[in-house]
Amino acid sequence: MTDNTPSDPNTVVLLKNVHLTLGSEAGPVNILRGIDFEALRGETVSIVGPSGSGKTSMMMIIAGLERPTSGQILIDGREIQDLNEDSLALLRRERVGIVFQGFHLVPTMSAIENVAVPLELAGRNDAFIQAKKMLGVVGLDHRLTHYPAQLSGGEQQRVALARAFAIEPKILLADEPTGNLDGTTGEHIIEQMFKLCAEFGTTLLLITHDPDLAARCSRSVSMADGLLSEVTKSEAPTARAV
Amino acid sequence: MSTIRLAFTYARRELRSGLKGFRIFLACLALGVAAIAGVGSLGQAIEAGLRADGKVLLGGDVSFRTTHAPVSAEQRSWIEAQSDLVSATVEMRANAFAVAKDTRRLVELKAVDDAYPLFGSVELSGEQNLDVTISNIDGVWGAAAHPGLTERLGIAIGDKVRVGDLTLEIRSLIVKEPDKGTQAFNFGPRLLIALPALAETNLVKPGSVIRYFYRTDLPEATSPATLRQAALEAFPNAGWRIQDLENAAPNIQRFVDRVGSFMTIVGLTALLVGGVGVGNAVRTFLQSKIGTIATLKCIGAPASLIFYTYLIQVGIIALLGIAIGLIIGVLAPLAALGSFGDSLPVEGQFAVYWEPIAIAVAFGILVTLVFSLWPLARAKTIPGIALFRDLVAPVSGFPGWKAFLGISALAITLAGLAVFTSSQPHLAVRFVLGSIATLVAFWGIAALVIRGSKMLPRSRRASVRLAITNLHRPGAATVGVVMSLGMGLTVLVAVAMLEDNLNNEVSYALRGEAPGYYFIDLQNDQVQTFQDIAANADYAVRTEIVPMLRGRITSLKGVPVSDITPPAEDAWILRGDRGLTWTAGPPNSADSIVRGDWWPEDYSGPQLVSFDAEAAAAFNLEIGDKIEVNILGRTIEATIANWRQIDWNDLGINFVMVFSPGALQNAPMSHIATAYLDEENELTLEDAVVRTLPNVSAIRVKEVLGEVQVILTKIATAVRIIAIVAVIAGVLVLAGAIAAGQKGRIYDSIVLKVLGATRKDLVFAYGLEYGVLGIVTSFIAIILGGGAAWFVITRVMEAQWSVSAMPVIATVVPALLVTVGAGMIGTWAALNKKAAPLLRNE
């Protein structure tokens, strides 16, 4: 496919022939070897594959946290591969929420402060009001002033979830969000995540090793050796990896 | 295996990973120890030089000195009988006129005999021999001159100068004079002539301020102390001053002691500031070891094992830092002597001096323990799981009573060591108290900043709010930054304001109310001539003329001076000769009498004396007490009639003692006069006086004050260099505080970038954070440093206090820039880190 425009006006994520090569002492390492990917508004897409296949790298590129060696990336209709750092930060601020396996909360900020940060960066006067509301949505309105070290793993991930959804993102990137949690806790997190995605119409890109979790998404792609190699169709609107 | 042995084993294993994280610790400790060892070693090097060169500096084993008149023939015979050899010299001030030019200069004239110098040698230009230089060749006496004289007169070797009635030929220039160093201050360049030539000058008049020196080379069997005692017994009323090798150069000794004390105190400040850095480094180190410590505790390690394991590591690293500091400190005098050794009157003796080394080691160990035991003891006492939450929910900071008492005892020992090793214990006590107050003040300010920033209303701008919350968030660098920078900056501000005030004091005197001239050695029959010159001048000139003699206080209230330990600031009154005068009528301002009454103008009863009020209070002298003064070999007893308040700052004629008319009226004396006139007429008056009265020495006050200003500037520069050591220590600690938080800052920056913060947001936030800290710290340093300077100027030096903005700005602005700059360097490094590697799942 050589057309530079999304094939569907509802496309929020489009990757075209994206390569990522990193240097190492042993020589260049090809992480991504020509990825073509598209995700539509409201879709939930799982990305599966073995460790080291390039899943996280692809997610970092979509988030603007890693620059591709070559290729084209469009996020919500905007090309980002040539944007500078500040522009990428603005993009994330407005449109992208991220949930990590390791939570990555600021350890010296309380729960409400962590959630308020993206809203404050966006210049919202009601940042703390919204943050409190989001923490209530995830069931943590009794832990507003607690620091991450004072919260359990599940609670920390809920804070991270609240933070990611505080800006009502167009896209949510979740990199093994339940990897550090037990089964029951993880299930609750996933439930909340899907519920919020549905509520806000957020496109979800979910990296997971869990096939059951992968199956909950509207579609699934498989990464191996830096290539997206498999697409399984579902009842959701069509999307493709070409 | 015993706990201690196990602790050594674990400590050794942990130290295998290197000294990463301890570089600032090492630098802080090394700098402070180097400062103390360096200053102490330099002081000892100079003192060793004084001892080694003692005989040369003094000019003999023992020196007898009289003023106004030589020793009697009997006294001279006695001295010669006790000695292998005696050298006699005479010193006075005189005017030297260039014969072929219309130039003249006040000189320090020195007439020497054939035996001079007894020790050392006079170095002259062109390898001339002194005897030949100053001898009489074809009826012309020769002289050796300091290069400053020939330059000023615009003459060269071979040219002639006139001194009094004698014409001299300049045959050589003085390169080095062996016994010059004992004189603190000179009013003119040296002119060296032969003793027989002095008589031909006709300048030796009764009452003239002339000093006669008799230096002895003693037999081996005779000690200086023995001779001194024998002299006191043989001539109990002799008016001479006896100096031996113990006090060969008291002025230099005092100067070395005082400057050395001050510089040691500044070095201690650097070490104290470094101590804050040591404490920060240990705290950060233990923070990084939380996992290890918690694991050890979880698997059964006793608290004492944890404590000793990390104490041993801290101790080993501290010893390394101390060793580095000692090497620098021991070698520093070599560099210092090489750089400015020529400016010193003695040759410093470079060597390894164990006393300052031992003192520096003791300080280094004590500072390490005082600042590191608290975090070590805390790590020992709090439960393992709490360690993981310690950053954000610290368990009570109290490490237990045993540790608290131990740390307190060590802190008291540190303070005691500072006091007892100082040659000025009172100053050291004030320093210790001041340091404690300053540390507490800055800690308090940091706490106020934290509290205040929490109470501020939330800003709408994210980067401003981030900056404000960074001030009080758990683990914030606020306390470290404020304390590290604050101490050093306070010292620097104090030094800058002291220097400015001292310069203002001199400038004030130069500008206004000080007299233009002192004219000394006016003879009785020259007073009218002098007054006529002033009266006949076609410009306004006001003069004051008083008789003057020199005498030495020998007892107060019946107690010999040798048995009195005077307060340090008043000791000068009992040391050596003092100028004194007599008068019938009261001083011009009756208000200056603060106790007692002035004698009637026609008083002719027993000798009375008016005494300086401050000195009288210091020596506990009351109205009616008796003092004894030796004048020209005669002991005069006088009763204190009143206390007189003297303002020394006006530089007018003032005397500690003013006598009633009586015995002094008939003593051989000269007169001293001051002249107040516009600057543009000064040289005209000087010319008229010295050409008419060539024996009169004219001392131009502005020139003297100018030289004082130069000396003050040099001293201030040297002191400021040492003060900068304290600031460097502060910068190191600041760097340490920033480095300690760097990992967290990088992580926070990356997470904030993930959430959409731009570089500009983060740079602004961190810049504002450090800017606020820098401004607050600078403000407090100005108050504390200014307060210290005010105290010294008004209470110690009793001078006028003035405030200028420029020295403060020049000191504080660079410090502010350093604070913000250091913070921004750390921030920039954080912003340049790539996000992906830190965010990847492990």
Side-chain angles (χ1 to χ4, degrees), chain B residues 44 86 103 287 297 340 502-503 603 657 663 700 750 818:
Chain B
Q44 295 251 336
V86 176
T103 52
Q287 190 74 25
K297 286 192 175 184
F340 61 81
L502 288 173
N503 279 332
Y603 178 80
M657 295 171 285
R700 196 165 179 220
I750 284 170
V818 162

Side-chain angles (χ1 to χ4, degrees), chain B residues 613-817:
Chain B
E614 269 189 41
F619 294 126
N620 294 320
L621 296 172
E622 292 298 338
I623 307 301
D625 284 342
K626 293 194 189 314
I627 68 169
E628 284 181 344
V629 180
N630 188 300
I631 302 171
L632 292 168
R634 193 174 150 197
T635 300
I636 309 283
E637 184 186 78
T639 304
I640 294 178
N642 58 69
W643 286 14
R644 194 168 23 92
Q645 192 68 44
I646 300 175
D647 178 12
W648 296 101
N649 292 331
D650 66 4
L651 296 182
I653 299 178
N654 284 306
F655 293 91
V656 170
M657 295 171 285
V658 175
F659 289 81
S660 63
L664 297 190
Q665 258 177 303
N666 300 317
M669 72 183 80
S670 61
H671 285 73
I672 185 170
T674 51
Y676 295 80
L677 69 168
D678 290 340
E679 188 176 347
E680 66 211 28
N681 299 320
E682 283 181 359
L683 289 175
T684 308
L685 178 66
E686 180 185 336
D687 202 59
V689 171
V690 301
R691 286 195 189 281
T692 310
L693 307 167
N695 61 296
V696 171
S697 302
I699 298 169
R700 196 165 179 220
V701 173
K702 280 182 182 55
E703 276 188 20
V704 171
L705 290 177
E707 286 200 36
V708 169
Q709 206 160 22
V710 166
I711 293 171
L712 281 178
T713 303
K714 283 187 183 168
I715 293 172
T717 302
V719 166
R720 204 199 291 267
I721 288 172
I722 299 296
I724 284 172
V725 171
V727 173
I728 292 174
V731 170
L732 278 174
V733 176
L734 173 66
I738 291 168
Q742 188 64 358
K743 199 169 161 190
R745 193 169 291 268
I746 290 173
Y747 181 81
D748 288 356
S749 298
I750 284 170
V751 171
L752 290 167
K753 277 202 295 187
V754 167
L755 299 175
T758 61
R759 268 177 188 258
K760 197 172 121 190
D761 292 329
L762 295 174
V763 166
F764 182 83
Y766 292 134
L768 182 60
E769 177 192 348
Y770 280 97
V772 166
L773 289 176
I775 288 170
V776 169
T777 306
S778 300
F779 183 68
I780 301 304
I782 289 169
I783 293 174
L784 292 177
W790 173 86
F791 182 83
V792 172
I793 292 290
T794 58
R795 296 285 182 267
V796 177
M797 303 182 69
E798 297 179 2
Q800 275 298 105
W801 167 255
S802 63
V803 178
S804 309
M806 266 322 291
V808 174
I809 291 171
T811 306
V812 161
V813 166
L816 200 55
L817 292 173

Side-chain angles (χ1 to χ4, degrees), chain A residues 132-152:
Chain A
K132 187 177 173 185
K133 188 175 151 195
M134 281 311 302
L135 283 167
V137 166
V138 298
L140 285 178
D141 39 12
H142 61 298
R143 304 285 247 159
L144 300 180
T145 58
H146 285 75
Y147 289 90
Q150 297 168 305
L151 303 172
S152 68

Side-chain angles (χ1 to χ4, degrees), chain B residues 442-455:
Chain B
F442 279 113
W443 180 86
I445 293 302
L448 273 175
V449 167
I450 290 171
R451 197 177 186 89
S453 63
K454 277 186 192 171
M455 290 166 60

Side-chain angles (χ1 to χ4, degrees), chain A residues 68-237:
Chain A
T69 310
S70 64
Q72 187 189 27
I73 306 124
L74 278 86
I75 301 295
D76 203 19
R78 193 174 170 200
E79 275 197 43
I80 73 162
Q81 67 272 7
D82 296 323
L83 290 182
N84 62 26
E85 285 240 9
D86 281 354
S87 301
L88 289 169
L90 283 167
L91 181 89
R92 285 193 294 276
R93 181 192 294 187
E94 290 162 4
R95 291 165 217 219
V96 181
I98 311 179
V99 178
F100 298 94
Q101 179 180 346
F103 324 133
H104 289 311
L105 301 176
V106 177
T108 54
M109 286 188 185
S110 63
I112 190 168
E113 285 174 335
N114 265 287
V115 175
V117 168
L119 296 165
E120 291 178 301
L121 290 170
R124 295 273 295 263
N125 292 337
D126 61 343
F128 274 73
I129 296 170
Q130 283 300 111
K132 187 177 173 185
K133 188 175 151 195
M134 281 311 302
L135 283 167
V137 166
V138 298
L140 285 178
D141 39 12
H142 61 298
R143 304 285 247 159
L144 300 180
T145 58
H146 285 75
Y147 289 90
Q150 297 168 305
L151 303 172
S152 68
E155 287 169 336
Q156 289 186 59
Q157 195 62 296
R158 280 192 272 163
V159 173
L161 209 57
R163 182 179 68 182
F165 277 100
I167 56 167
E168 297 176 19
K170 297 259 189 323
I171 303 160
L172 180 74
L173 306 174
D175 189 352
E176 300 196 58
T178 59
N180 285 353
L181 305 173
D182 64 84
T184 309
T185 309
E187 183 58 33
H188 287 143
I189 294 294
I190 293 299
E191 288 291 338
Q192 282 188 314
M193 194 167 67
F194 274 87
K195 184 175 154 202
L196 288 166
C197 282
E199 187 178 322
F200 293 121
T202 304
T203 301
L204 170 65
L205 302 183
L206 170 67
I207 294 176
T208 181
H209 284 127
D210 184 347
D212 291 334
L213 181 53
R216 285 177 70 163
C217 296
S218 58
R219 70 183 176 99
S220 183
V221 294
S222 173
M223 181 85 85
D225 287 333
L227 289 167
L228 277 177
S229 60
E230 198 177 310
V231 175
T232 54
K233 280 197 187 270
S234 71
E235 292 163 357

Side-chain angles (χ1 to χ4, degrees), chain B residues 177-194:
Chain B
E177 188 183 335
D179 55 340
K180 188 172 195 296
T182 52
Q183 229 171 308
F185 197 82
N186 297 309
F187 290 105
R190 173 70 80 209
L191 185 65
L192 203 59
I193 65 174

Side-chain angles (χ1 to χ4, degrees), chain B residues 58 62-73 75-76 79 86-93 108-113 116 179 183 190 194-216 238-243 521 523 550 552 577 632-633 668:
Chain B
L58 188 61
V62 176
S63 168
F64 293 82
R65 188 184 88 183
T66 59
T67 307
H68 293 313
V71 297
S72 66
Q75 288 169 333
R76 176 75 191 245
I79 294 172
V86 176
S87 167
T89 60
V90 179
E91 294 181 28
M92 63 184 294
R93 292 184 191 104
E108 298 279 355
L109 185 65
K110 182 169 178 175
V112 303
D113 64 5
Y116 175 86
D179 55 340
Q183 229 171 308
R190 173 70 80 209
L195 196 53
L198 182 64
E200 294 186 30
T201 65
N202 286 323
L203 291 176
V204 179
K205 310 260 189 219
S208 295
V209 180
I210 303 178
R211 291 194 167 86
Y212 296 84
F213 293 86
Y214 304 87
R215 280 120 176 185
T216 71
W240 52 30
R241 183 180 175 195
I242 305 173
Q243 273 179 277
D521 280 341
Q523 299 301 304
R550 295 196 71 83
R552 196 157 46 87
D577 299 342
L632 292 168

